[in-house]
Amino acid sequence: MKKLHGRTWFVMLFTLLLTAGMCVLLAMYVLHGREWASFSANRHLYNNSGRIATGSITDRSGLLLYDGETGAYAENGGIRTATLHAVGDEYGNILTGAKLLFSSQMGGYDLINGVSSSGNTVSLTIDAALCQTAYEALDGRSGAVGVYNYKTGEVVCMVSSPSFDPYDSEEVLEAVNAGESRYQGVYLNHFFSATFTPGSIFKVVTSAAAIEQLDALEDFQYTCTGSMTVDGNRITCPYAHGTLDLAGALEDSCNGAFAELALELGGDVLYGYAQSAGLLEGVEMDGITSAAGRFEISPDHSAELGWSGVGQSTNLVNPCAEMVLMGCIAGEGHASEPTLFRSVSGPFGLPMGGSSSAGTARIGWRAETCQILKTFMRNNVLNHYGQEQFGDLAVCAKSGTAEVGSGLEPHAWFTGFIDDEDNPYAFVVLVENGGSGSAEAGAVAAEVLVELCIR
């Protein structure tokens, strides 16, 4: 009887452990089954070259951008090149491409049937034709263009240059390995994975700090003579702007005025506002994080601190983070996080769930501060950049011409948003070594925004 009793307990314990193990395995299968199925060694999903061999990718209108079964990209060569960093290259060298980000959704996986042979269709938020317009507007120059709906989070335009036709992947790979300069940084998504000196677009951050931290700012005036001296060093403007209030200083992008504000605010305060703006931490998009920016706290009363308030010195920002900041100003403190993923459908076009549902990005600025900045940035367009290039669009913007070293042309920036319920878009344009921000980057932004909103 004792033996039988002991065996009974052993069987019961074994059964309990087996049941617990099966429950753990089932839970792990439910939670991680999609990741297991999309593992790179799974021959159901990938061919011998590592290319995903099932499913397809389209833009928001249903235009085919990639067919996993045939390995074919879009028919139009301009669209293939313009959407490369959103879709991905042949060999997986572009880490922000949908081929890598959404491989599990493309694979047609579900809990009951596992991986299907035909796969699913992933629809992206981008407008491929708009991306082509943006890429062509860059006109062969390195840089980035991003536009997104700050209410829904949908990225309608994401372009990085230089780029290439994915059908030329092998030749480009050989050229990159050989160190050819024309393909320098070609695998890097300049919109999402790189940082650059911001120049005067950072003056929006300095303005926010001044609005919230300085007393009697409505009485602020600065008389620009073309330069100022700080600790024996000169901070210069292109010309003497005369006497300016804060709105005028932002409109004329007066370096002296913003250096003066930075010196009054101090490095710790400016760092806190750069951080609260979301510029020092990466932006989340579809499970990956953008490059983080940089703001080094310079000593008080130093020229370096003055230049930091202008957006020079060692400041660095990521274009995607800058775009989201603009969306948050438009949303008076908050906006949707960006996303490329729109929806996924099965082999017969049946929706498979998983439609885009972006989180919320927030900045630590008061709604009243954002309202004031909106007014300032709208005046920039009306009084300085020229409303005529934007048609009837209520564009609010700030340009930047970022000095990046002796003998090099400055980076050209143009960033902002449309203050319109029917066209809630924030944008950023960067033309590396492009020269004037308002002239060069502003022209690209105008072409893209007008095309987007007249459709």
Side-chain angles (χ1 to χ4, degrees):
M1 283 295 291
K2 288 183 178 180
K3 281 187 178 182
L4 182 61
H5 187 266
R7 289 173 180 172
T8 300
W9 276 107
F10 175 78
V11 171
M12 290 177 65
L13 179 61
F14 179 78
T15 302
L16 182 62
L17 291 173
L18 181 62
T19 302
M22 290 179 66
C23 290
V24 170
L25 179 61
L26 180 61
M28 292 179 67
Y29 173 66
V30 171
L31 293 174
H32 302 292
R34 185 176 294 276
E35 298 172 24
W36 297 342
S38 61
F39 180 62
S40 59
N42 188 342
R43 296 294 81 152
H44 290 285
L45 289 181
Y46 301 91
N47 61 22
N48 292 330
S49 68
R51 186 185 75 203
I52 189 164
T54 186
S56 59
I57 300 169
T58 71
D59 81 339
R60 63 184 302 108
S61 67
L63 178 69
L64 181 67
L65 301 178
Y66 178 74
D67 184 347
E69 185 175 356
T70 64
Y73 285 80
E75 290 185 5
N76 183 294
I79 285 178
R80 290 197 299 269
T81 303
T83 61
L84 176 71
H85 292 85
V87 176
D89 65 308
E90 181 75 6
Y91 299 113
N93 290 315
I94 296 174
L95 302 181
T96 57
K99 289 172 61 179
L100 290 180
L101 295 182
F102 311 129
S103 59
S104 60
Q105 289 92 337
M106 290 172 65
Y109 169 84
D110 65 62
L111 290 173
I112 305 301
N113 300 307
V115 178
S116 70
S117 59
S118 56
N120 293 332
T121 297
V122 170
S123 173
L124 304 183
T125 60
I126 61 168
D127 182 319
L130 188 68
C131 291
Q132 183 179 9
T133 294
Y135 187 80
E136 291 174 352
L138 287 173
D139 194 25
R141 299 168 294 184
S142 294
V145 181
V147 184
Y148 97 126
N149 185 313
Y150 53 81
K151 291 186 178 294
T152 67
E154 293 186 326
V155 177
V156 294
C157 179
M158 184 180 79
V159 167
S160 177
S161 177
S163 186
F164 60 90
D165 190 322
Y167 286 153
D168 297 332
S169 290
E170 186 173 348
E171 293 85 345
V172 171
L173 182 59
E174 291 175 357
V176 169
N177 290 335
E180 291 189 20
S181 59
R182 62 184 173 134
Y183 289 119
Q184 184 176 0
V186 75
Y187 293 132
L188 183 71
N189 186 336
H190 292 201
F191 167 75
F192 193 75
S193 304
T195 58
F196 305 89
T197 303
S200 293
I201 63 171
F202 190 82
K203 290 171 182 172
V204 174
V205 178
T206 307
S207 296
I211 291 167
E212 296 191 350
Q213 297 296 322
L214 299 182
D215 296 330
L217 190 64
E218 63 273 10
D219 298 326
F220 171 81
Q221 283 193 333
Y222 176 80
T223 300
C224 174
T225 62
S227 69
M228 65 183 295
T229 301
V230 180
D231 194 25
N233 296 286
R234 292 179 73 231
I235 294 175
T236 59
C237 284
Y239 57 89
H241 294 114
T243 301
L244 304 166
D245 60 7
L246 182 57
L250 190 67
E251 180 183 323
D252 286 342
S253 205
C254 177
N255 291 343
F258 282 92
E260 182 77 17
L261 289 170
L263 294 171
E264 189 170 350
L265 289 162
D268 289 333
V269 171
L270 276 181
Y271 177 90
Y273 273 81
Q275 186 173 50
S276 66
L279 298 180
L280 305 187
E281 298 177 357
V283 172
E284 292 292 327
M285 184 178 75
D286 301 317
I288 58 173
T289 305
S290 72
R294 181 176 71 188
F295 183 95
E296 295 182 356
I297 300 175
S298 301
D300 287 344
H301 314 299
S302 67
E304 289 82 3
L305 176 57
W307 279 119
S308 291
V310 172
Q312 294 289 159
S313 188
T314 58
N315 292 17
L316 293 172
V317 301
N318 168 255
C320 182
E322 180 66 29
M323 180 188 74
V324 174
L325 169 60
M326 292 297 112
C328 287
I329 295 173
E332 299 183 356
H334 60 87
S336 291
E337 294 178 340
T339 179
L340 279 175
F341 180 77
R342 191 164 190 245
S343 63
V344 59
S345 57
F348 301 104
L350 298 175
M352 303 295 290
S355 59
S356 172
S357 180
T360 301
R362 299 183 185 278
I363 56 175
W365 304 352
R366 297 193 296 260
E368 295 83 356
T369 302
C370 295
Q371 291 166 2
I372 293 170
L373 291 173
K374 276 187 188 183
T375 301
F376 286 179
M377 294 172 70
R378 181 70 183 127
N379 287 338
N380 289 351
V381 175
L382 293 172
N383 302 329
H384 198 78
Y385 305 138
Q387 176 62 41
E388 64 278 359
Q389 63 183 321
F390 300 105
D392 296 330
L393 300 177
V395 174
C396 307
K398 181 69 187 82
S399 67
T401 304
E403 302 294 336
V404 290
S406 178
L408 295 173
E409 287 291 315
H411 292 333
W413 289 88
F414 200 79
T415 186
F417 53 90
I418 304 173
D419 188 19
D420 182 356
E421 288 291 325
D422 295 327
N423 294 294
Y425 295 107
F427 62 88
V428 64
V429 175
L430 165 68
V431 184
E432 297 176 48
N433 307 120
S436 167
S438 58
E440 300 299 331
V444 174
E447 187 171 347
V448 172
L449 293 176
V450 170
E451 178 174 330
L452 169 64
C453 296
I454 63 174
R455 294 183 176 182

